[in-house]
Amino acid sequence: MSPASPAGGGGEGAAHHRDLTVVTDLLAEQRRRITDFDGPGERFPAPVQDPGADPPSLPEPGWQQTMDAIPMPALLVAPVLGRDGVPRDYWYVGRNRAALRYSETVIPPAALPAWSGRPVPLFGRFPEMAHTAMPRMLAEAYRGGEIQGPTVVEFPLRAPDGEVARVSAEVRVSRCGPHHLLVAWERGNRQALARAAQHLARTCWMEWNLTGQPPRASFGVRHVLGLHRDAPLPGLVDVAAMTDHAGAESLYQVLYDVLLRGRTAECDLRLPARRNGVLRLLAEPVFRPGGPVWAVRGVMMDVTGDRLTRHRARHAEREATRARDRAQAFGEVAAAFRDALSPRFAGGKVPSGLETAAVYRPDEGAGVGGDWYKARVLPDGRTLLALGDARGHGLAAVTLMAKLRYALAGLAFTAHPVEHLTGWLSDVACDDGPESTATAIVGAYHPERRLLRWVSAGHPAPLLLRDGRVRPLALPPDATGLPLGVVPDTAYTAVETVLAAGDVVLMYSDGLVERRGSDIDADTELLRHRAERLARTSLRRGTGGLQAYAEHVVRAMSDSPQTDDATLLAVRCLP
């Protein structure tokens, strides 16, 4: 056997070729083991051969014609009797045409020496046969006169070149006249194969005669039905009694279709005595020639495992559907909640001389997260600018986000500096519980001085776009603050950045730059590079220019699967 060539040069064809090669090698290795195997020793005592024994006399004339009339392969064997009349050895006397055809198709030519037509010792011609049930069957058939078998007889035939052939047949041995034995066999162990197939597939057949005769059945029917091996074969009423109420009704409908309508029908039968095993019955009518149905022929298959698998699959599907519906409902509630809490502005001038734009991109998996932002002109003329990221996803993160956002909006009206606002906001998060943490940038823009005072609470520093170049805003070591909600009474230090006309400040959440398996510094540098490149092509003056630019930047950072929600708040200082 040689593996077929792959269908093409692609990866799938090459993989298939490798699979065929592996299978070929496995089979070749097993064939080598068979060839090298010497055998486990005798399973039956081999007869004692007498090399000096006289060949037996041939049967009466015409025996060959009688043998050739037998349709199945057959050998004529003569026993060698001891003084006590017990066979001690056997002679191979002759064969019929069917046996010759069998030998030509099954046995390699070099595995057997040519036969001259004269009697030869049986176990000299077939040495391995002596270690099978054949000697016992020959002795029993000669001594008792009763037909032996059918019995599976298997043995190897080895050619001089080492090649091994497997001889496997269901053999019968019977007395043939006073001095001979007839050995006949069916090629291929058909009964054994049928029995094995029924056992593997847990399938059987029965034929119920409606004339009062006992039913007929295949091998293994009692095993499939869960009956004792000595139990009588069940009739149709017995089968109905073995199943439950629903099964009895189904069986009645099948018999109605088979007997009165002459149709093939099928149904499931649950057997309570077999731990609620399930049988699939397919039945067909057997008609009397020219008359009514006089027998029912049925095939029964044990489908318990299949039904159990289907039940589990349906249960898993229902659970998955419920979980999907819950997740969808949860996501819709969280998304609606977050949408209700998000600021509503779409790029434009504000009284403090700033233009603002915001883009939010949800997590592709969780749907909603804890990102939030705030841009609002305060009564004292300053503009509150903030962006944060609450820990986690879903309603818990959205709830914390809402608390922080509204708390900051209220605290900002106190007119205190941003470092105080950030400390108080951290205390709010601490009071919410140990899991309520968040990062944030909290800033206030002073229009009279074009001064942005801002605080980082464990959050990435904003980027500054000036004169076509993008750089991170400097964050001194003493200005690096803890995330909100970590430690109560945390003190924060503000950073002051003076803006010029046309400057753009980009505040963003870490979901915009974080990539699974990547370095955060490298991803931040990638954002800086792309924001700078897009500023040359996408940042326009006028209404909507900043919003379009922010959307281009977020889109440019969406070239890999999103594992967290991402927010970008862009602020431009107007002339």
Side-chain angles (χ1 to χ4, degrees):
M1 174 180 176
S2 60
S5 300
E12 183 176 352
H16 183 58
H17 180 73
R18 289 194 299 270
D19 293 340
L20 293 178
T21 301
V22 170
V23 172
T24 301
D25 293 343
L26 177 64
L27 296 177
E29 177 63 21
Q30 186 62 23
R31 187 167 185 176
R32 183 193 62 77
R33 293 191 186 98
I34 294 172
T35 302
D36 296 343
F37 184 65
D38 292 331
E42 298 181 0
R43 290 180 294 171
F44 296 91
V48 179
Q49 297 186 4
D50 185 0
D54 294 329
S57 59
L58 294 177
E60 296 294 330
W63 68 271
Q64 186 65 59
Q65 290 82 352
T66 303
M67 288 277 292
D68 290 339
I70 300 174
M72 63 179 59
L75 302 179
L76 190 64
V77 175
V80 178
L81 305 179
R83 293 181 179 180
D84 54 1
V86 176
R88 300 178 57 219
D89 199 1
Y90 300 91
W91 288 89
Y92 176 99
V93 176
R95 66 190 177 196
N96 64 356
R97 291 178 181 174
L100 179 60
R101 289 193 295 269
Y102 173 86
S103 176
E104 291 174 345
T105 57
V106 174
I107 301 175
L112 282 178
W115 185 51
S116 65
R118 299 180 60 82
V120 295
L122 175 65
F123 299 122
R125 185 167 179 81
F126 303 102
E128 296 293 337
M129 185 190 289
H131 306 307
T132 69
M134 185 63 74
R136 176 185 56 78
M137 295 173 68
L138 293 168
E140 292 291 336
Y142 184 83
R143 180 175 63 251
E146 296 182 358
I147 298 176
Q148 302 296 307
T151 300
V152 176
V153 173
E154 289 189 335
F155 60 91
L157 279 178
R158 189 182 300 272
D161 61 357
E163 183 178 3
V164 175
R166 174 182 176 235
V167 178
S168 178
E170 286 186 339
V171 178
R172 291 178 174 84
V173 180
S174 59
R175 191 81 177 257
C176 185
H179 305 297
H180 294 87
L181 295 165
L182 185 68
V183 178
W185 66 93
E186 290 211 35
R187 178 180 176 180
N189 287 347
R190 293 179 182 176
Q191 293 184 6
L193 290 175
R195 185 183 297 112
Q198 293 174 36
H199 177 74
L200 290 173
R202 299 187 65 81
T203 304
C204 63
W205 62 261
M206 287 193 70
E207 187 174 272
W208 293 278
N209 292 299
L210 305 180
T211 58
Q213 296 169 298
R216 299 171 57 232
S218 65
F219 300 106
V221 67
R222 294 177 177 84
H223 176 68
V224 172
L225 292 174
L227 301 174
H228 190 272
R229 63 182 181 181
D230 296 327
L233 293 174
L236 289 169
V237 176
D238 299 322
V239 174
M242 294 168 61
T243 186
D244 57 12
H245 174 69
E249 287 187 341
S250 298
L251 180 60
Y252 169 80
Q253 187 60 51
V254 165
L255 294 177
Y256 186 91
D257 289 341
V258 171
L259 300 178
L260 301 184
R261 297 178 177 175
R263 300 176 180 174
T264 298
E266 57 185 289
C267 69
D268 284 349
L269 303 175
R270 189 175 299 278
L271 304 181
R274 283 198 54 212
R275 298 182 180 179
N276 287 325
V278 181
L279 295 184
R280 186 69 175 169
L281 170 65
L282 291 86
E284 66 175 1
V286 180
F287 293 92
R288 179 179 177 177
V293 175
W294 66 349
V296 177
R297 183 181 297 129
V299 174
M300 291 179 286
M301 295 171 288
D302 186 345
V303 294
T304 306
D306 177 65
R307 295 297 185 271
L308 181 60
T309 300
R310 291 186 184 181
H311 172 74
R312 289 174 176 171
R314 286 194 296 267
H315 177 73
E317 183 178 2
R318 288 194 297 268
E319 288 297 313
T321 300
R322 282 195 288 265
R324 184 169 58 250
D325 292 343
R326 287 194 298 268
Q328 182 177 357
F330 177 83
E332 291 174 353
V333 171
F337 191 19
R338 148 168 268 297
D339 188 60
L341 296 172
S342 298
R344 301 284 183 176
F345 59 86
K349 296 180 181 180
V350 295
S352 60
L354 295 178
E355 181 184 4
T356 57
V359 180
Y360 171 72
R361 184 183 65 189
D363 181 350
E364 295 176 359
V368 291
D371 282 9
W372 58 275
Y373 54 92
K374 189 74 175 175
R376 180 170 185 172
V377 178
L378 300 175
D380 61 3
R382 295 178 303 156
T383 299
L384 176 66
L385 299 170
L387 185 144
D389 183 3
R391 173 182 176 180
H393 295 86
L395 284 178
V398 174
T399 302
L400 177 60
M401 173 269 290
K403 292 178 181 178
L404 296 178
R405 183 169 173 270
Y406 282 118
L408 178 61
L411 293 171
F413 275 80
T414 64
H416 280 76
V418 291
E419 52 268 38
H420 293 172
L421 300 182
T422 307
W424 295 336
L425 195 63
S426 179
D427 291 341
V428 171
C430 287
D431 291 340
D432 199 58
E435 299 297 323
S436 297
T437 60
T439 64
I441 292 290
V442 180
Y445 178 68
H446 300 256
E448 72 281 2
R449 293 182 289 167
R450 286 185 173 172
L451 176 67
L452 176 65
R453 299 187 76 253
W454 57 278
V455 172
S456 171
H459 202 86
L463 299 179
L464 175 64
L465 170 60
R466 174 177 289 172
D467 298 332
R469 303 299 299 271
V470 176
R471 61 177 176 83
L473 289 180
L475 187 64
D478 60 346
T480 303
L482 291 173
L484 306 176
V486 175
V487 179
D489 300 324
T490 300
Y492 292 90
T493 302
V495 180
E496 296 187 349
T497 303
V498 178
L499 301 180
D503 284 354
V504 176
V505 177
L506 302 176
M507 300 180 184
Y508 59 92
S509 64
D510 56 7
L512 188 64
V513 294
E514 283 186 344
R515 298 294 184 273
R516 185 171 298 171
S518 181
D519 179 68
I520 184 65
D521 292 335
D523 292 332
T524 302
E525 177 62 20
L526 179 64
L527 171 62
R528 188 200 65 78
H529 172 74
R530 291 181 177 177
E532 186 175 288
R533 174 174 55 83
L534 289 170
R536 295 191 291 269
T537 59
S538 303
L539 182 57
R540 305 185 308 273
R541 297 180 180 179
T543 303
L546 184 62
Q547 182 68 35
Y549 171 67
E551 291 174 356
H552 277 87
V553 171
V554 172
R555 196 157 43 243
M557 296 301 293
S558 303
D559 53 359
S560 62
Q562 186 72 19
T563 58
D564 193 4
D565 54 340
T567 303
L568 176 65
L569 176 62
V571 179
R572 178 157 57 181
C573 184
L574 299 175

